[in-house]
Amino acid sequence: MPLIRFGVSIDKELLVKFDRLIKDRKYTNRSEAFRDLIRQELIQEEWQGNHEIAGAVTLIYNHHKRELINKLMDIQHDFGQAIISSQHIHLDHNNCLEIIAVKGSPKEARRLADTLKSVKGVKHGTLSMSSAGKGI
Ligand code: NI
């Protein structure tokens, strides 16, 4: 794909902050950082549309609450279409970590993550979504 150069006007203060961010994130130059920001925004946009995403739900919960574990399992069976894999890690004596790989519509992935996170006894839950981003 041909590279196109274009000029950007930006106030000095914002540029100083941007350069600091670039340095922190180990970008080699402004262009690379700028391209990544644009890609990120476009991916966000895709999530809001109905493009397919792939992602992961991460949960940390109490190992000793058997009812909670059953409930989490029931929910995952209900969302079987969206789940492609899951991994259970025994973090320590009290805590389990579960990583659930999801694929499909962003809406469904969010609904699954929200349902799992809202179960009493789940200490922490996150959803991260990615997209190969057609044409990005
Ligand atoms: Ni465990």
Side-chain angles (χ1 to χ4, degrees):
M1 226 175 281
L3 282 177
I4 293 162
R5 292 180 67 96
F6 67 99
V8 177
S9 302
I10 185 171
D11 66 74
K12 204 178 165 192
E13 204 181 318
L14 194 59
L15 187 61
V16 168
K17 284 182 183 167
F18 188 53
D19 283 342
R20 209 175 296 145
L21 182 90
I22 289 169
K23 207 177 150 213
D24 285 350
R25 298 200 181 165
K26 318 262 186 258
Y27 284 108
T28 48
N29 57 56
R30 283 177 184 155
S31 292
E32 191 46 46
F34 197 60
R35 282 194 288 269
D36 257 11
L37 283 177
I38 292 173
R39 287 188 196 107
Q40 227 172 68
E41 282 304 306
L42 290 171
I43 285 171
Q44 291 262 11
E45 191 70 25
E46 279 193 25
W47 293 353
Q48 273 137 37
N50 240 344
H51 298 271
E52 269 215 349
I53 57 90
V57 181
T58 307
L59 301 171
I60 291 179
Y61 55 85
N62 191 322
H63 161 72
H64 302 290
K65 293 189 174 161
R66 299 294 149 151
E67 244 173 73
L68 156 75
I69 294 167
N70 282 336
K71 206 175 264 180
L72 294 177
M73 206 66 79
D74 286 347
I75 295 167
Q76 290 186 56
H77 276 269
D78 288 343
F79 283 82
Q81 296 276 43
I83 297 171
I84 45 178
S85 160
S86 72
Q87 186 174 23
H88 182 110
I89 294 135
H90 313 299
L91 263 192
D92 53 40
H93 183 69
N94 297 319
N95 297 297
C96 297
L97 165 67
E98 200 151 318
I99 303 163
I100 303 157
V102 294
K103 196 179 157 194
S105 85
K107 225 187 214 172
E108 191 74 347
R110 203 171 290 280
R111 215 163 61 84
L112 168 64
D114 289 344
T115 309
L116 289 168
K117 274 158 66 177
S118 68
V119 175
K120 208 178 157 214
V122 173
K123 294 178 182 175
H124 191 237
T126 61
L127 168 67
S128 66
M129 291 195 279
S130 297
S131 164
K134 280 171 233 141
I136 297 174

